Amino acid sequence: MNDQAHVFQRDIHRVWTAKKNRISPTHQNSFILEPGHWQEYDPFLMLAEDWFQRGSFNNHPHRGIETVTYVIQGRLEHYDSQTAGKDELLPGDAQWMTAGRGVIHNEDPAEGETVHSLQLWVNLPSGDKMMEPRYQNLRSVDMPLRVEEGATIRVFSGSSGGVASPTKNVVPITMVELNVEPDASVKQDLPGSYNGFIYILEGEGLFGKERTKASEGQVLWLGSAGSSRESEVEITAVTRLRALLYAGQPLHEPVVAHGPFVMNTMEQIRQAYEDYRNGKFV
């Protein structure tokens, strides 16, 4: 029996283009996934695209989430209260920060540079919101590669075609960078229960069962796989294509978000602010 017959071919449920906003003279922002769509985007809370210079993101706290920062352009310096250390991300690198019970950190471009980045917020399950913080710096050059004819898939988290990343997850997440040559096709496998989306960084392609056309700057939300245990989405490049695919296991839990804190109840939010004021994030 052909196992491929049991793999659900995903289509594209929705396509949109995010609007760029000017926050300040040194910071522009676009919400690829707007906050507030907790059930629809579960386990993802938001995805922000930012173009910013030094001083745009000074010291600020987080609790109850993970942030996944991917650098498209520029050098991004990072400091946090937990390790009291600095590090730097280069173009193509990512950082997986598990805020857990609380961190204070900042993200600053190198002097004189503008950083172009994506930052995804991933919800943490109720039982893990107060876990110990941790950081995983995911260097592009160190990430596992899946190489197919006309396509290279860099696996930041989860797996692709049997190539697995060592990145530690709390919520199971697949994050891959797809680089596909014109007219080449590749299929990305996903558990059927995952929600997911694709964001196109460069080029134009055809996506999903219905070969939906989309191009640079557009977001494609994947259709549901229903009750199927296994699924996949096919990507064909029209021009040279670079895209990020994110998918993850929904939590189906209540979400209460306020500023940099995401918890399950308003009382937990009040406690987060009290703990922050009392210096418990350091």
Side-chain angles (χ1 to χ4, degrees):
M1 184 177 292
N2 186 359
D3 291 341
Q4 196 68 18
H6 299 283
V7 178
F8 186 91
Q9 303 300 311
R10 296 232 191 180
D11 60 7
I12 302 302
H13 174 65
R14 188 159 66 95
V15 180
W16 68 92
T17 304
K19 181 182 177 182
K20 188 184 291 189
N21 302 297
R22 180 170 290 278
I23 307 300
S24 75
T26 60
H27 182 199
Q28 293 186 76
N29 163 276
S30 179
F31 278 116
I32 307 304
L33 298 185
E34 291 189 355
H37 300 264
W38 313 132
Q39 293 183 340
E40 181 182 0
Y41 296 157
D42 188 14
F44 307 118
L45 298 162
M46 71 163 203
L47 175 62
E49 184 169 14
D50 294 281
W51 298 258
F52 60 105
Q53 296 173 11
R54 204 166 183 85
S56 299
F57 292 103
N58 291 318
N59 285 4
H60 59 281
H62 288 294
R63 172 179 281 181
I65 63 171
E66 295 186 296
T67 64
V68 183
T69 305
Y70 176 88
V71 178
I72 300 170
Q73 184 176 10
R75 293 178 296 145
L76 183 62
E77 297 175 353
H78 170 269
Y79 170 83
D80 72 89
S81 61
Q82 294 298 317
T83 65
K86 283 191 173 184
D87 210 334
E88 185 179 73
L89 300 175
L90 301 177
D93 291 347
Q95 183 190 75
W96 206 288
M97 182 186 82
T98 306
R101 63 176 176 79
V103 298
I104 300 171
H105 76 152
N106 65 40
E107 301 136 307
D108 243 349
E111 192 67 49
E113 293 198 20
T114 296
V115 164
H116 179 194
S117 69
L118 295 169
Q119 187 171 95
L120 179 73
W121 287 19
V122 181
N123 199 11
L124 281 173
S126 56
D128 295 296
K129 284 191 175 294
M130 297 296 285
M131 68 181 287
E132 285 296 309
R134 71 180 177 206
Y135 295 83
Q136 300 174 82
N137 286 326
L138 310 178
R139 308 295 180 188
S140 177
V141 295
D142 297 331
M143 292 297 99
L145 285 178
R146 173 187 167 199
V147 180
E148 304 286 348
E149 185 176 355
T152 302
I153 300 95
R154 181 167 280 106
V155 186
F156 283 93
S157 179
S159 65
S160 180
V163 177
S165 166
T167 301
K168 298 176 183 177
N169 287 170
V170 179
V171 179
I173 300 290
T174 293
M175 174 186 172
V176 297
E177 178 192 294
L178 302 145
N179 289 277
V180 189
E181 298 295 331
D183 299 322
S185 296
V186 68
K187 291 182 178 180
Q188 171 61 42
D189 50 297
L190 296 169
S193 58
Y194 279 21
N195 280 333
F197 65 98
I198 298 168
Y199 183 58
I200 304 174
L201 298 175
E202 300 171 18
E204 182 179 68
L206 306 172
F207 301 84
K209 185 178 179 181
E210 304 299 325
R211 295 173 63 82
T212 301
K213 182 177 283 191
S215 58
E216 181 176 335
Q218 291 193 296
V219 194
L220 302 98
W221 189 261
L222 302 182
S224 169
S227 60
S228 300
R229 292 185 61 184
E230 299 177 33
S231 72
E232 61 186 16
V233 58
E234 184 170 8
I235 297 103
T236 300
V238 175
T239 63
R240 185 178 176 87
L241 180 71
R242 181 184 175 203
L244 290 172
L245 181 149
Y246 302 90
Q249 178 64 44
L251 298 178
H252 304 297
E253 293 186 351
V255 174
V256 179
H258 199 282
F261 307 134
V262 182
M263 304 300 287
N264 300 110
T265 69
M266 196 61 217
E267 177 55 38
Q268 291 170 340
I269 294 290
R270 285 191 284 267
Q271 187 64 53
Y273 276 100
E274 182 178 339
D275 290 347
Y276 176 56
R277 287 192 296 267
N278 291 335
K280 295 184 178 181
F281 279 40
V282 180

Short mmCIF file of all heavy atoms in Angstrom, two decimals, residues 25-50:
data_model
loop_
_atom_site.label_atom_id
_atom_site.label_comp_id
_atom_site.label_asym_id
_atom_site.label_seq_id
_atom_site.Cartn_x
_atom_site.Cartn_y
_atom_site.Cartn_z
N PRO A 25 10.93 57.80 14.06
CA PRO A 25 11.87 58.05 12.94
C PRO A 25 12.88 56.93 12.73
O PRO A 25 13.45 56.80 11.64
CB PRO A 25 12.57 59.34 13.36
CG PRO A 25 11.57 60.04 14.24
CD PRO A 25 10.89 58.94 14.99
N THR A 26 13.11 56.10 13.75
CA THR A 26 14.11 55.02 13.65
C THR A 26 13.50 53.62 13.66
O THR A 26 14.22 52.63 13.76
CB THR A 26 15.12 55.12 14.80
OG1 THR A 26 14.42 54.99 16.05
CG2 THR A 26 15.86 56.45 14.77
N HIS A 27 12.16 53.54 13.56
CA HIS A 27 11.52 52.23 13.70
C HIS A 27 10.25 52.16 12.85
O HIS A 27 9.31 52.95 13.02
CB HIS A 27 11.16 51.98 15.17
CG HIS A 27 10.53 50.65 15.44
ND1 HIS A 27 9.81 50.38 16.58
CD2 HIS A 27 10.50 49.51 14.71
CE1 HIS A 27 9.38 49.13 16.55
NE2 HIS A 27 9.78 48.58 15.42
N GLN A 28 10.22 51.19 11.92
CA GLN A 28 9.02 50.85 11.18
C GLN A 28 8.63 49.42 11.52
O GLN A 28 9.49 48.57 11.78
CB GLN A 28 9.23 51.00 9.67
CG GLN A 28 9.43 52.42 9.22
CD GLN A 28 9.49 52.52 7.71
OE1 GLN A 28 8.47 52.45 7.02
NE2 GLN A 28 10.68 52.67 7.17
N ASN A 29 7.32 49.16 11.48
CA ASN A 29 6.82 47.87 11.94
C ASN A 29 5.67 47.41 11.05
O ASN A 29 4.90 48.23 10.52
CB ASN A 29 6.35 48.00 13.40
CG ASN A 29 5.45 46.86 13.85
OD1 ASN A 29 4.24 46.88 13.61
ND2 ASN A 29 6.04 45.88 14.49
N SER A 30 5.54 46.09 10.93
CA SER A 30 4.40 45.50 10.23
C SER A 30 4.01 44.24 10.99
O SER A 30 4.86 43.42 11.32
CB SER A 30 4.80 45.15 8.80
OG SER A 30 3.72 44.56 8.12
N PHE A 31 2.71 44.09 11.31
CA PHE A 31 2.24 42.87 11.96
C PHE A 31 1.84 41.86 10.89
O PHE A 31 0.81 41.99 10.25
CB PHE A 31 1.07 43.15 12.89
CG PHE A 31 1.48 43.67 14.24
CD1 PHE A 31 1.12 44.95 14.63
CD2 PHE A 31 2.25 42.89 15.09
CE1 PHE A 31 1.52 45.44 15.88
CE2 PHE A 31 2.65 43.38 16.34
CZ PHE A 31 2.28 44.65 16.72
N ILE A 32 2.70 40.84 10.73
CA ILE A 32 2.39 39.76 9.79
C ILE A 32 1.23 38.94 10.34
O ILE A 32 0.29 38.61 9.62
CB ILE A 32 3.63 38.86 9.60
CG1 ILE A 32 4.86 39.70 9.20
CG2 ILE A 32 3.36 37.77 8.57
CD1 ILE A 32 4.67 40.53 7.98
N LEU A 33 1.29 38.59 11.63
CA LEU A 33 0.16 38.03 12.36
C LEU A 33 -0.22 39.05 13.42
O LEU A 33 0.57 39.33 14.33
CB LEU A 33 0.53 36.71 13.06
CG LEU A 33 0.96 35.51 12.22
CD1 LEU A 33 1.14 34.29 13.13
CD2 LEU A 33 -0.02 35.19 11.10
N GLU A 34 -1.38 39.63 13.31
CA GLU A 34 -1.81 40.63 14.29
C GLU A 34 -2.19 39.97 15.60
O GLU A 34 -2.85 38.92 15.61
CB GLU A 34 -3.00 41.43 13.75
CG GLU A 34 -2.66 42.34 12.59
CD GLU A 34 -3.81 43.26 12.23
OE1 GLU A 34 -4.90 43.11 12.82
OE2 GLU A 34 -3.62 44.13 11.36
N PRO A 35 -1.81 40.58 16.74
CA PRO A 35 -2.22 40.03 18.03
C PRO A 35 -3.74 40.09 18.19
O PRO A 35 -4.40 40.93 17.59
CB PRO A 35 -1.50 40.92 19.04
CG PRO A 35 -1.05 42.12 18.30
CD PRO A 35 -0.97 41.77 16.86
N GLY A 36 -4.25 39.19 19.02
CA GLY A 36 -5.68 39.18 19.31
C GLY A 36 -6.44 38.03 18.66
O GLY A 36 -7.56 37.71 19.08
N HIS A 37 -5.83 37.36 17.68
CA HIS A 37 -6.48 36.24 17.01
C HIS A 37 -6.04 34.93 17.67
O HIS A 37 -5.48 34.04 17.03
CB HIS A 37 -6.13 36.24 15.52
CG HIS A 37 -6.53 37.48 14.79
ND1 HIS A 37 -7.71 37.58 14.08
CD2 HIS A 37 -5.93 38.69 14.69
CE1 HIS A 37 -7.81 38.79 13.55
NE2 HIS A 37 -6.75 39.49 13.90
N TRP A 38 -6.30 34.85 18.98
CA TRP A 38 -5.70 33.77 19.78
C TRP A 38 -6.11 32.39 19.31
O TRP A 38 -5.28 31.48 19.20
CB TRP A 38 -6.05 33.96 21.25
CG TRP A 38 -5.87 35.34 21.80
CD1 TRP A 38 -6.78 36.03 22.54
CD2 TRP A 38 -4.72 36.20 21.70
NE1 TRP A 38 -6.28 37.27 22.90
CE2 TRP A 38 -5.02 37.39 22.40
CE3 TRP A 38 -3.47 36.08 21.09
CZ2 TRP A 38 -4.12 38.45 22.51
CZ3 TRP A 38 -2.58 37.14 21.18
CH2 TRP A 38 -2.90 38.30 21.88
N GLN A 39 -7.39 32.18 19.05
CA GLN A 39 -7.86 30.86 18.65
C GLN A 39 -7.45 30.51 17.23
O GLN A 39 -7.03 29.39 16.94
CB GLN A 39 -9.38 30.77 18.80
CG GLN A 39 -9.86 30.82 20.25
CD GLN A 39 -11.36 30.67 20.37
OE1 GLN A 39 -12.10 30.88 19.41
NE2 GLN A 39 -11.83 30.31 21.55
N GLU A 40 -7.53 31.49 16.32
CA GLU A 40 -7.23 31.24 14.91
C GLU A 40 -5.76 30.90 14.71
O GLU A 40 -5.42 29.99 13.95
CB GLU A 40 -7.58 32.47 14.07
CG GLU A 40 -7.33 32.28 12.59
CD GLU A 40 -7.65 33.53 11.79
OE1 GLU A 40 -8.08 34.54 12.38
OE2 GLU A 40 -7.46 33.48 10.55
N TYR A 41 -4.86 31.62 15.40
CA TYR A 41 -3.43 31.45 15.18
C TYR A 41 -2.76 30.49 16.16
O TYR A 41 -1.57 30.20 16.02
CB TYR A 41 -2.72 32.81 15.27
CG TYR A 41 -3.12 33.81 14.22
CD1 TYR A 41 -2.95 35.18 14.43
CD2 TYR A 41 -3.67 33.41 13.00
CE1 TYR A 41 -3.31 36.12 13.47
CE2 TYR A 41 -4.04 34.34 12.04
CZ TYR A 41 -3.85 35.70 12.29
OH TYR A 41 -4.22 36.62 11.33
N ASP A 42 -3.46 30.01 17.14
CA ASP A 42 -2.96 29.10 18.17
C ASP A 42 -2.02 28.03 17.57
O ASP A 42 -2.40 27.35 16.61
CB ASP A 42 -4.18 28.43 18.82
CG ASP A 42 -3.87 27.59 20.03
OD1 ASP A 42 -2.76 27.70 20.57
OD2 ASP A 42 -4.78 26.83 20.45
N PRO A 43 -0.77 27.87 18.10
CA PRO A 43 -0.19 28.41 19.33
C PRO A 43 0.56 29.72 19.15
O PRO A 43 1.26 30.18 20.06
CB PRO A 43 0.81 27.31 19.71
CG PRO A 43 1.36 26.88 18.39
CD PRO A 43 0.16 26.91 17.45
N PHE A 44 0.45 30.34 17.96
CA PHE A 44 1.16 31.58 17.70
C PHE A 44 0.32 32.76 18.18
O PHE A 44 -0.90 32.78 18.02
CB PHE A 44 1.47 31.71 16.21
CG PHE A 44 2.19 30.51 15.66
CD1 PHE A 44 1.62 29.73 14.66
CD2 PHE A 44 3.41 30.14 16.17
CE1 PHE A 44 2.28 28.62 14.16
CE2 PHE A 44 4.09 29.02 15.68
CZ PHE A 44 3.52 28.26 14.67
N LEU A 45 1.01 33.74 18.76
CA LEU A 45 0.34 34.92 19.31
C LEU A 45 0.43 36.11 18.37
O LEU A 45 -0.52 36.86 18.22
CB LEU A 45 0.96 35.28 20.66
CG LEU A 45 0.81 34.20 21.74
CD1 LEU A 45 1.80 34.43 22.87
CD2 LEU A 45 -0.63 34.19 22.28
N MET A 46 1.58 36.27 17.74
CA MET A 46 1.77 37.35 16.77
C MET A 46 3.09 37.12 16.04
O MET A 46 3.96 36.36 16.49
CB MET A 46 1.78 38.72 17.43
CG MET A 46 3.02 38.99 18.25
SD MET A 46 3.22 40.76 18.58
CE MET A 46 4.99 40.83 18.89
N LEU A 47 3.24 37.77 14.90
CA LEU A 47 4.51 37.84 14.19
C LEU A 47 4.69 39.28 13.73
O LEU A 47 3.86 39.80 12.99
CB LEU A 47 4.55 36.90 12.99
CG LEU A 47 5.82 36.99 12.12
CD1 LEU A 47 7.06 36.64 12.90
CD2 LEU A 47 5.71 36.10 10.88
N ALA A 48 5.76 39.91 14.21
CA ALA A 48 6.06 41.29 13.86
C ALA A 48 7.28 41.34 12.95
O ALA A 48 8.27 40.64 13.18
CB ALA A 48 6.32 42.12 15.11
N GLU A 49 7.19 42.17 11.91
CA GLU A 49 8.34 42.46 11.07
C GLU A 49 8.79 43.87 11.40
O GLU A 49 7.97 44.80 11.43
CB GLU A 49 7.97 42.35 9.59
CG GLU A 49 9.15 42.55 8.66
CD GLU A 49 8.84 42.19 7.21
OE1 GLU A 49 7.63 42.03 6.88
OE2 GLU A 49 9.78 42.06 6.41
N ASP A 50 10.08 44.05 11.69
CA ASP A 50 10.58 45.33 12.14
C ASP A 50 11.80 45.76 11.34
O ASP A 50 12.65 44.94 10.97
CB ASP A 50 10.97 45.27 13.62
CG ASP A 50 9.77 45.06 14.53
OD1 ASP A 50 9.06 46.05 14.79
OD2 ASP A 50 9.55 43.92 14.97
#
